[in-house]
Amino acid sequence: MHFATLPLFVACFSSSLFSQQFEWAPIPADLEVWSERAIPLDADDDGLLDVLILNAQGWEVPGDLQAPGDQPLPPTLLRNTGLGLDGNPVFVDATASFLPTDLLMHAKSGAVADLDGDGHDDLAIAVGFQSPQRLLIKDPILGSWLDESHRLPPSFILNSSSVVAGDLDDDGDLDLVFADAGPSTFSAPGGLARLLLNDGSGFFSDEPARLGAVPKIGAQNIKLVDLDQDLDLDLVVDGKSPVTQAYLNDGTAQFTYDDTIFPEAPGGDTYETEFADLDGDSDFDTFLMNWRPPYRNTLLINNLVPTGNLSFLDKTGYFDGPNNEDENDFVYLDVDDDGDFDLLVGALPFSVGGPPSKEKLLINTGVVGPGWFSFSADAFDATPDATIDLGLGDFDGDGDYDIVSVQGEYLPFRSLYHQNTGPADTRAPVVRQLSEAPQTLPASSLDDGWPRRAWIEDALVDDETVYIAADLIVDTVKGNESSSTSTPMDYVGGAIWRGVVDPAPSSEGLVGMDVSYHVVSTDPEGNVGTSTTETVRLCGVQSYGVAGPDTDLALSLIGEPVLGDSVTVDVTGGKPSTAGLLIGSFQSLDIPLAGGRLLVDPSPGAILVNVGVNGSGELSLSATLPDDDLLIGTTLFMQYVLFDDSQPFDLALSNGLEVVFCDS
């Protein structure tokens, strides 16, 4: 459809109505270009939110609709210089100071993330119309971004409208996924989503076999979301064809395609999805934009909790207000600070059989059912315009989230700032899920640390815009020793945070240590949310004490002491062909005996095995551990005593072993 140019805006527009929450102000007039994304970021690290605006010249092909031309455009970096006399931030064009010169592209989307692990935000940019995709790396000294697109696979040419960054293989660095619509933006044959794995230093390899992508006509957005509650990142690809694609991750970036999770769209015009726990049952729900014709949005509620069945139920009747409008962006925001998500919608100015549309707000009433999301007609004071994207952040520093909207497709092209006049955020982040701890964990598995993940939600869900911080608190207890450490967690995409449990050994080692961990999350206003605590006992085997001073007698255990598995007790360094005694006890001792130390308690209840060493002074004794749940995490102390007449008091004592049984 083609539409006439919108009427010019009136010279004066009142923004003082009591019911209006978002009051608009223009961004500099020389930025009136077709823009696709507004990405908040702190480009100069001064604590004020700036805006990166990605610009394009075309929707389906370069120069279509009301594009002023078909040539690519540079992005725009607007630096926030502080508040003006009207209380709104003053943005100035600082593109030349932060971005490479001659950076021309039909930019459709971008991901801001530390891709090379140096602590600075880099930029991955999705570019449309069969073009090279772009990667900009922040120079930590100059403070500007350098074009490092050679870090992407060779000849990486796509028709892409979306890119996301996330740790898909749980190796601690951020990978990339690009959507691709193929050679024709909205018609066959479609394109394949592309998975790029990070080598840890910001260089990427194309991994099509891991993703197993299926062609998608009109692919629009890639979303990272944990659909199945295993705390790894699955992929959702929406777009203008009936099937919303889901790719389930096994945690190592091996994906399985599933086309049954989302109901098939009747209209095939889906333009945006956004995921959050809307009903408070700790699984991800979603709105799908333009899911039914004509331009009808749909609310899909996840059926995973409490049924265990990963599927989505159509609950379109659960929200009211206009639902016949051409729209482009969803954002979840707790606009009234009541602890639940409301819905912001960025719209084009067209509706079917109705008045021109503008940005919309639907208030979450808290009552799941018809009318759950209630339309607030006067939330925005701006007149209708062709909004493509909403970028949210606290640009004026008053504790709530403001909006930068960007426009395209239909004139007039303009960028607006919408000041939020609502309440400041007083709600703490909610840790909805934390990696569970088993009863036991082999201490040997902690050589590289133990990754733990948490799903955390705060007041805002807008693509991958994140303003909260999270810390992993680890407490340990072994014997009379305890410790507590706090380390920052890394945001790895899809509302998931990652930290590593890596406790320092006590003076008595790691085996038998109780390790507890929880997450503390803090938002920009200082509101603090805390998770529940998980506890694990470190199992395995470790030596303690020493053999007598005049003997080389050594006791060891081969194999992890997993209940139900076999292990082998080894003794070396004994006097050949000598009788001995293997002692096992649930109590330890440390008392002098026969020139050595008795390290286990041989009192009643101890396990005594009369077994000697062979002609080489060695012993190898295999046994299958009982598969008894009552033994999980319990400690068995072991020592070997050799009846050696060459030793003082005719005894040689080995070192001790502390054995903590692992869950089968």
Side-chain angles (χ1 to χ4, degrees), residues 42 87 148 162 184 201 229-230 239 252 258 274 347 356 378 381 409 504 532 536 559 572 589 608 625:
D42 187 358
E148 295 279 317
S162 180
S184 181
S201 61
Q229 279 198 319
D230 58 2
T252 67
D258 192 329
E274 197 67 84
D378 298 321
D381 68 348
E409 300 188 18
T532 57
V536 65
T572 60
L589 288 176
L608 305 176
L625 300 176

Side-chain angles (χ1 to χ4, degrees), residues 443-465:
S444 59
S445 67
L446 291 177
D447 290 347
D448 297 319
W450 188 34
R452 303 283 82 192
R453 291 190 169 206
W455 166 23
I456 308 175
E457 285 188 332
D458 195 36
L460 172 67
V461 176
D462 179 20
D463 297 319
E464 292 294 337
T465 301

Side-chain angles (χ1 to χ4, degrees), residues 383-469:
T383 55
D385 54 19
T387 297
I388 301 294
D389 189 57
L390 306 173
L392 272 72
D394 185 7
F395 295 101
D396 56 5
D398 64 354
D400 55 31
Y401 290 97
D402 314 298
I403 300 172
V404 170
S405 65
V406 293
Q407 282 72 38
E409 300 188 18
Y410 302 99
L411 295 173
F413 299 151
R414 61 177 189 166
S415 298
L416 295 181
Y417 171 75
H418 303 261
Q419 183 189 45
N420 188 346
T421 63
D425 178 15
T426 66
R427 300 281 178 164
V430 178
V431 183
R432 297 210 176 275
Q433 188 179 356
L434 176 63
S435 295
E436 292 183 359
Q439 287 182 267
T440 59
L441 178 74
S444 59
S445 67
L446 291 177
D447 290 347
D448 297 319
W450 188 34
R452 303 283 82 192
R453 291 190 169 206
W455 166 23
I456 308 175
E457 285 188 332
D458 195 36
L460 172 67
V461 176
D462 179 20
D463 297 319
E464 292 294 337
T465 301
V466 174
Y467 297 114
I468 61 175

Side-chain angles (χ1 to χ4, degrees), residues 164-365:
V164 289
D167 184 4
L168 301 173
D169 51 3
D170 200 29
D171 63 354
D173 56 42
L174 297 178
D175 312 299
L176 295 172
V177 186
F178 285 82
D180 183 25
S184 181
T185 302
F186 298 120
S187 57
L192 302 175
R194 304 289 286 273
L195 168 64
L196 306 184
L197 291 187
N198 192 338
D199 70 353
S201 61
F203 287 82
F204 294 86
S205 60
D206 197 357
E207 302 287 344
R210 284 176 172 264
L211 183 54
V214 174
K216 172 72 173 172
I217 294 174
Q220 292 286 290
N221 292 284
I222 295 276
K223 284 293 191 296
L224 299 178
V225 56
D226 177 20
L227 291 172
D228 51 5
Q229 279 198 319
D230 58 2
L231 284 174
D232 58 36
L233 295 171
D234 309 308
L235 303 177
V236 175
V237 185
D238 66 47
K240 294 187 176 299
S241 48
V243 176
T244 298
Q245 296 182 337
Y247 296 86
L248 299 181
N249 188 355
D250 71 351
T252 67
Q254 295 285 349
F255 290 86
T256 302
Y257 176 63
D258 192 329
D259 62 1
T260 67
I261 292 175
F262 295 97
E264 188 169 307
D269 281 328
T270 301
Y271 203 84
E272 160 81 319
T273 54
E274 197 67 84
F275 291 86
D277 182 12
L278 299 176
D279 56 1
D281 64 354
S282 293
D283 58 23
F284 282 95
D285 312 300
T286 185
F287 276 91
L288 270 68
M289 183 171 286
N290 299 345
W291 193 72
R292 293 182 182 276
Y295 302 134
R296 291 183 63 81
N297 301 329
T298 295
L299 171 62
L300 297 182
I301 296 299
N302 196 339
N303 204 31
L304 183 61
V305 177
T307 69
N309 176 31
L310 177 56
S311 60
F312 286 83
L313 306 177
D314 181 357
K315 299 295 183 181
T316 304
Y318 281 16
F319 62 94
D320 61 21
N323 197 10
N324 59 346
E325 301 172 338
D326 193 356
E327 298 160 342
N328 283 281
D329 193 25
F330 283 149
V331 174
Y332 302 134
L333 177 67
D334 184 6
V335 299
D336 47 8
D337 195 41
D338 65 351
D340 54 34
F341 286 120
D342 309 299
L343 178 67
L344 292 170
V345 186
L348 292 174
F350 313 116
S351 61
V352 177
S357 59
K358 59 182 180 180
E359 273 65 81
K360 294 194 288 293
L361 169 63
L362 282 78
I363 296 293
N364 187 334
T365 66

